[in-house]
Amino acid sequence: MTSPKRLASLNGRIIDEAEATLHALSPAVKYASALFEGCRAYWNSEQQRLLAFRLADHIDRLFDGMRILRFDAEIDRQTLTGWVLELIRRQGEAQDLYFRILAFIDGRGDQGARGPVSFIITLAPLGRGAEFERGFRLGVSSWVRVADRAMPPRVKCIANYHNGRLGILDAQQQGFDYPLFLTEAGKVAETAGSCLFLLRRGRVVTPSVTSDILESITRDSVLSLLAEQGTPVEERAVDRSEVYLADEAFVTGTHQEVCPVVSLDGLPIGNGQPGAFVRKLQSCYLDLVEGRSADPKGWRLPIALSA
């Protein structure tokens, strides 16, 4: 039964979402001592249940992030997973959902505080933006992607996202949808919230995980789909000019799923329209996450809603 109000989970306790707050003097607020995971669950009307996509992998990455940031969390993966599932069931919404797990340093500690660690889980319906059909218009940002020697870009550290925010504001001012960041070495990194792929001469190219990018779960899922299709893929350093010469391009991420890229810096990619390759990949990806194709790796977690 669907709850009439929006719920959240605070350290395993189901509360009204309006109560899911942080103290103004917490290290999370004062020093950005926080990280998060954003996950999706897809409603399958035939099965009459939600399918959470790669939830275990998202929680693993959250714990990886807490290890890097030296968070002294007192719960384990199983407990956190249980909190997520309880919230989804209690909310009881039979539609596609996005849920966000925030881990943060609570209390009133100083800049070096390692705990206490608290967790807030929220969820909301999530559809698809217009870019899924029409594609993104990217612009190379004047801001450089945060480097691994400065911050850990491979995990979803909250502080990293200010780099993305600056890039988004810069891109919008220039008339683009989204920024494309370069590394300190001038190679392609990623956008403000998604990984970039190119199709050129029958081969797919994408920046490697050592290119100051997030260790993206959606990126990994797409690499698996491409391998199943027998499409050659190169994971390596990518030049800006390679993007200009691509036949097609697309980005991947939990929010974006698989979205075409139709131009960079105002220069059309290919014919400036979403191409056949990315359209086929979109279809394959949606079949996987929405439960219409096989799931040999067990990435879909069925969630039955409360009666």
Side-chain angles (χ1 to χ4, degrees), residues 60-174:
D60 281 345
R61 189 172 61 186
L62 184 74
F63 275 81
D64 286 346
M66 289 193 290
R67 176 181 174 84
I68 291 174
L69 298 184
R70 274 66 167 182
F71 280 24
D72 291 338
E74 296 182 355
I75 69 165
D76 57 22
R77 289 165 171 80
Q78 184 177 2
T79 299
L80 184 57
T81 301
W83 291 351
V84 170
L85 298 180
E86 181 186 11
L87 176 63
I88 292 173
R89 290 176 180 134
R90 287 279 295 275
Q91 189 70 62
E93 291 181 308
Q95 58 182 315
D96 292 355
L97 298 173
Y98 175 83
F99 51 100
R100 181 184 177 98
I101 309 169
L102 176 71
F104 63 98
I105 304 296
D106 211 340
R108 300 191 182 190
D110 59 19
Q111 198 166 0
R114 298 181 176 217
V117 180
S118 285
F119 298 85
I120 291 176
I121 308 165
T122 54
L123 54 81
L126 180 64
R128 296 187 176 94
E131 297 85 3
F132 191 82
E133 292 298 327
R134 69 168 172 80
F136 276 110
R137 299 165 300 158
L138 301 183
V140 171
S141 180
S142 61
W143 295 95
V144 174
R145 174 64 174 159
V146 62
D148 189 72
R149 63 179 180 172
M151 301 277 283
R154 68 184 62 247
V155 296
K156 295 180 79 70
C157 171
I158 291 291
N160 291 348
Y161 284 78
H162 192 66
N163 183 227
R165 178 179 181 273
L166 292 171
I168 289 171
L169 295 173
D170 181 37
Q172 291 175 344
Q173 187 174 7
Q174 300 300 319

Side-chain angles (χ1 to χ4, degrees), residues 36-40 53-64 99 101 156 217-218 254:
F36 79 100
E37 283 295 322
C39 317
R40 290 182 83 138
F53 188 62
R54 299 192 68 169
L55 174 58
D57 295 307
H58 280 281
I59 288 179
D60 281 345
R61 189 172 61 186
L62 184 74
F63 275 81
D64 286 346
F99 51 100
I101 309 169
K156 295 180 79 70
I217 292 166
T218 311
T254 298

Side-chain angles (χ1 to χ4, degrees), residues 251-283:
V251 293
T252 63
T254 298
H255 257 279
Q256 293 83 1
E257 299 171 303
V258 178
C259 272
V261 174
V262 295
S263 66
L264 177 65
D265 297 334
L267 185 68
I269 292 174
N271 64 3
Q273 299 293 325
F277 183 88
V278 69
R279 288 302 192 210
K280 178 182 177 182
L281 188 61
Q282 280 181 321
S283 178

Side-chain angles (χ1 to χ4, degrees), residues 219-294:
R219 173 184 180 275
D220 180 72
S221 303
V222 167
L223 288 172
S224 179
L225 288 174
L226 292 171
E228 291 173 7
Q229 296 171 6
T231 303
V233 178
E234 297 177 6
E235 298 180 65
R236 58 169 175 79
V238 176
D239 288 325
R240 175 180 184 171
S241 58
E242 288 185 84
V243 187
Y244 296 145
L245 298 177
D247 300 313
E248 294 187 39
F250 57 94
V251 293
T252 63
T254 298
H255 257 279
Q256 293 83 1
E257 299 171 303
V258 178
C259 272
V261 174
V262 295
S263 66
L264 177 65
D265 297 334
L267 185 68
I269 292 174
N271 64 3
Q273 299 293 325
F277 183 88
V278 69
R279 288 302 192 210
K280 178 182 177 182
L281 188 61
Q282 280 181 321
S283 178
C284 291
Y285 183 80
L286 294 184
D287 285 346
L288 173 63
V289 298
E290 294 177 350
R292 290 186 295 274
S293 62

